[in-house]
Amino acid sequence: MEISDSNSETVSIEEHEVKLIFDDKDVFSSGSKILQQKASLKNTKTEIMSMQFDSESKLLATGTRNGAINIYNWEYAELEKQICPVYEETEVIDAGLTPVNFPATCLKWRPKNGFSRALPKLTASYGNGDVKCWDVESKELKYKISEGENIGIYSIDYNRSGNSLLTAGMDYTVRVYDENTLKMTHEFAPTLGSIVNHFNRVFCAKFGPEDDRMIYSGGADRMICVHDIRCKYSVRNIVGPYVLGDCIDVHDNMLLAGSYRSAECIEVWDIRNYDKLYTYDWDQSDYQLGGQVVSAKFMRDGKHSIIAASRIAGEVKCMDLLSGETFANISGYTSMIYSMDFSTNGR
């Protein structure tokens, strides 16, 4: 593990590795910048599938293919906690069979309500249809939601208050739960004759940050669905985006979608009227280079920038939203990129 004293800026991951990236003091200025590696933490023996900084950018949680969760403290640049998979299928263990490890597909820190010195709770979705909320301090399981055997959950998200949790995944359905009662309050499922609900796997679903009555989801059916929890059905769809990862984000009345394809892999809409604002290829000089975006987010830098990761190019780019120009990049990955995140302070 390599450690630098520089401040953390953004995080990207590749197979078996967490890489902490920092800039050279003015990464967000105009012109091309090459981000430098701050630390490489090789504390896992399997692929890292998901990751997220906490709200204070002090902790980074990573979920692995075997279901283990590693929590890093960036003040000391070291592994602080590890939550190992818990096998609850006693009949499998009693029969002498080897329990199956399911990947931790998505991680979300539960929003804090008020000031607290305690570590926040962390919720994870798994490939077997379970959602588990963990007390990070004690590593105690606080609750579990099961959506059905072998129904993989690929995406979860909290609303602003942390009282509602949504799930989406293999069965084409977006569900919302009351976290206090663990009862499902809303379900947006495929229906006969519907043209606005999903009809294939859903890989990403997000509450609207400014209006969390709205939910935006995308998946393998090449469609983004817009759901309103005040209704019992989806209210709009956007045909085209091929979302196969954490590739949807909403910020400042704009909807960002990253698609798993070469051409037009970055698209942005105005959610007030759903007019398309921007469309970019991964490489503006040749649309066949790169693409296949697996993660895309707005950068909270106040300068209308986005960050996206290309699986085929092995590259992470920081792009100016207005021009599509790349002003910083991380390239040269030799293994596949599955997820990325950057600090919540926008640095």
Side-chain angles (χ1 to χ4, degrees), residues 34-78:
I34 303 298
L35 300 181
Q36 304 298 316
Q37 179 176 313
K38 175 183 176 181
S40 179
L41 308 179
K42 299 182 179 180
N43 290 321
T44 62
K45 296 181 180 180
T46 185
E47 293 97 329
I48 300 167
M49 309 302 297
S50 54
M51 64 187 342
Q52 193 186 38
F53 272 112
D54 75 331
S55 61
E56 298 177 353
S57 300
K58 294 181 178 179
L59 300 174
L60 175 70
T62 64
T64 66
R65 184 177 290 276
N66 67 5
I69 298 172
N70 297 314
I71 299 170
Y72 299 91
N73 184 319
W74 286 117
E75 182 178 355
Y76 304 104
E78 63 183 15

Side-chain angles (χ1 to χ4, degrees), residues 8-14 18-21 35 48-55 57 59-62 74 107-109 206 246 249 294-300 307-309 316 318 330 333 337-347:
S8 63
E9 296 299 341
T10 185
V11 169
S12 176
I13 68 166
E14 60 178 357
V18 180
K19 288 190 174 181
L20 178 61
I21 309 302
L35 300 181
I48 300 167
M49 309 302 297
S50 54
M51 64 187 342
Q52 193 186 38
F53 272 112
D54 75 331
S55 61
S57 300
L59 300 174
L60 175 70
T62 64
W74 286 117
L107 301 174
K108 293 291 178 181
W109 295 95
K206 300 282 182 68
D246 186 15
D249 199 10
V294 293
S295 187
K297 298 180 181 182
F298 285 109
M299 301 178 72
R300 271 53 172 184
I307 184 169
V316 177
C318 302
I330 313 162
Y333 288 101
I337 300 172
Y338 294 117
S339 180
M340 68 173 186
D341 199 18
F342 59 92
S343 57
T344 51
N345 55 23
R347 299 187 304 176

Side-chain angles (χ1 to χ4, degrees), residues 309-325:
S310 167
R311 187 169 188 173
I312 191 172
E315 183 180 20
V316 177
K317 278 188 176 184
C318 302
M319 302 171 61
D320 180 85
L321 181 60
L322 302 181
S323 66
E325 294 182 357

Side-chain angles (χ1 to χ4, degrees), residues 47-266:
E47 293 97 329
I48 300 167
M49 309 302 297
S50 54
M51 64 187 342
Q52 193 186 38
F53 272 112
D54 75 331
S55 61
E56 298 177 353
S57 300
K58 294 181 178 179
L59 300 174
L60 175 70
T62 64
T64 66
R65 184 177 290 276
N66 67 5
I69 298 172
N70 297 314
I71 299 170
Y72 299 91
N73 184 319
W74 286 117
E75 182 178 355
Y76 304 104
E78 63 183 15
L79 182 67
E80 181 168 304
K81 299 278 186 178
Q82 186 173 52
I83 301 173
C84 295
V86 178
Y87 304 112
E88 299 166 346
E89 296 80 4
T90 54
E91 67 276 6
V92 173
I93 299 174
D94 292 342
L97 302 177
T98 302
V100 177
N101 295 335
F102 291 97
T105 54
C106 188
L107 301 174
K108 293 291 178 181
W109 295 95
R110 190 186 188 281
K112 283 186 175 182
N113 293 322
F115 175 79
S116 174
R117 293 185 179 274
L119 294 178
K121 293 180 175 60
L122 180 69
T123 301
S125 61
Y126 296 86
N128 64 339
D130 286 348
V131 175
K132 296 180 180 181
C133 180
W134 299 95
D135 185 311
V136 173
E137 191 74 53
S138 64
K139 298 192 286 188
E140 176 187 354
L141 179 63
K142 303 303 292 183
Y143 68 77
K144 183 179 80 168
I145 298 172
S146 295
E147 291 194 347
E149 186 176 357
N150 297 324
I151 299 177
I153 300 174
Y154 302 140
S155 183
I156 57 175
D157 196 27
Y158 278 106
N159 66 350
R160 288 173 296 178
S161 66
N163 293 325
S164 292
L165 174 74
L166 69 78
T167 67
M170 188 180 291
D171 65 347
Y172 322 159
T173 302
V174 177
R175 298 179 177 87
V176 180
Y177 295 88
D178 183 319
E179 215 212 25
N180 296 317
T181 64
L182 303 184
K183 301 291 186 180
M184 185 175 65
T185 58
H186 301 82
E187 182 180 58
F188 301 99
T191 56
L192 185 63
S194 172
I195 61 173
V196 294
N197 286 315
H198 289 291
F199 55 88
N200 207 326
R201 292 170 295 172
V202 182
F203 284 91
C204 187
K206 300 282 182 68
F207 279 108
E210 286 88 16
D211 183 358
D212 56 15
R213 297 172 297 182
M214 307 301 294
I215 298 171
Y216 304 87
S217 60
D221 51 13
R222 290 177 164 83
M223 178 169 69
I224 289 180
C225 291
V226 182
H227 318 276
D228 189 331
I229 62 174
R230 294 166 293 186
C231 305
K232 295 182 179 180
Y233 48 84
S234 304
V235 295
R236 179 183 289 271
N237 65 1
I238 302 173
V239 177
Y242 188 29
V243 176
L244 295 187
D246 186 15
C247 295
I248 293 177
D249 199 10
V250 181
H251 178 62
D252 197 20
N253 290 318
M254 291 184 292
L255 170 66
L256 167 67
S259 290
Y260 195 78
R261 61 189 180 215
S262 297
E264 300 184 352
C265 57
I266 300 291

Side-chain angles (χ1 to χ4, degrees), residues 254-305:
M254 291 184 292
L255 170 66
L256 167 67
S259 290
Y260 195 78
R261 61 189 180 215
S262 297
E264 300 184 352
C265 57
I266 300 291
E267 298 171 287
V268 179
W269 290 264
D270 186 330
I271 61 173
R272 292 169 295 187
N273 51 28
Y274 290 95
D275 290 340
K276 185 181 284 190
L277 301 177
Y278 308 101
T279 302
Y280 297 119
D281 300 331
W282 187 260
D283 189 313
Q284 299 301 324
S285 62
D286 187 348
Y287 75 90
Q288 294 181 329
L289 296 177
Q292 297 189 353
V293 172
V294 293
S295 187
K297 298 180 181 182
F298 285 109
M299 301 178 72
R300 271 53 172 184
D301 60 350
K303 299 182 180 181
H304 292 94
S305 306

